[in-house]
Amino acid sequence: MKKFSVKTIVAIGIGAALFFVLGRFVAIPSPVPNTNISIQYGLLAFMTVLFGPIAGMLIGFIGHALIDFSFGWGVWWSWVITSGVFGILFGIATKKLRLADGSFGKKDILTFIIAGVICHVICWGAVAPVLDIVIYAEPIEKLFAQGLVSAIANSVTTAIVGTLLCVAYAAAKPKAGSLKEEE
């Protein structure tokens, strides 16, 4: 089993804390009950590209659990698990991106956005509703309305916030060989 570096462990802690803050205090209510437009998934996608699927899973799982716990209604485990599943799926889908090397061009942006849409549709259109049915016996109609709104909103916010974070990170990262002396 691959061991986490100290850097990855710290990133998981910071990522989960930022996921919590964004999800708790920057969430925009949607017209569908108990569903928000959440920008924290852009941060989760960015952190997942940098630190991998296991780190992404832990950031999403811990961050979402903290959000639910802080509201006082109890932890809604189906959605907490789904945030973790998003981290895993997105990490696998974007494994070939080389953001840590400062590379994030047009092809990478397209891969990032398409992977985000596919992973959100799988997670919020299938995983969360199925877990809601299995764990909580929730009414199906409500679940798929919530799932559809969440998939669309999270895809859009991931595409915007996540892409901006990745582009800014790549632009700030020194490129290999950029510090060589000119002759």
Side-chain angles (χ1 to χ4, degrees):
M1 181 177 171
K2 180 182 172 186
K3 291 184 178 182
F4 285 149
S5 68
V6 171
K7 183 177 175 181
T8 302
I9 293 169
V10 170
I12 291 167
I14 292 171
L18 289 171
F19 188 97
F20 163 71
V21 169
L22 292 173
R24 180 65 168 91
F25 301 108
V26 191
I28 303 163
S30 80
V32 176
N34 302 320
T35 309
N36 293 322
I37 298 169
S38 307
I39 66 168
Q40 71 264 25
Y41 289 97
L43 171 78
L44 175 57
F46 167 68
M47 298 290 284
T48 300
V49 170
L50 281 178
F51 297 100
I54 302 301
M57 186 246 339
L58 291 169
I59 292 167
F61 184 88
I62 295 166
H64 200 132
L66 291 171
I67 292 167
D68 284 4
F69 183 75
S70 73
F71 275 112
W73 59 59
V75 177
W76 202 257
W77 289 109
S78 53
W79 285 48
V80 170
I81 291 167
T82 303
S83 289
V85 170
F86 174 79
I88 291 170
L89 292 178
F90 193 78
I92 292 168
T94 59
K95 198 150 188 81
K96 294 193 187 273
L97 297 181
R98 298 289 165 231
L99 182 60
D101 299 334
S103 173
F104 200 73
K106 290 178 184 177
K107 183 180 173 189
D108 300 321
I109 291 170
L110 190 59
T111 299
F112 183 90
I113 292 170
I114 291 170
V117 170
I118 291 168
C119 293
H120 281 304
V121 167
I122 291 169
C123 286
W124 305 108
V127 176
V130 168
L131 288 175
D132 276 343
I133 292 166
V134 171
I135 297 171
Y136 302 108
E138 287 285 314
I140 292 172
E141 302 79 27
K142 174 184 133 184
L143 300 178
F144 288 102
Q146 288 177 329
L148 177 65
V149 168
S150 295
I152 292 168
N154 292 343
S155 293
V156 170
T157 60
T158 297
I160 295 168
V161 174
T163 301
L164 289 173
L165 288 170
C166 290
V167 167
Y169 181 88
K173 184 89 174 161
K175 308 297 181 261
S178 66
L179 299 178
K180 291 182 182 177
E181 290 184 32
E182 293 184 30
E183 295 179 21

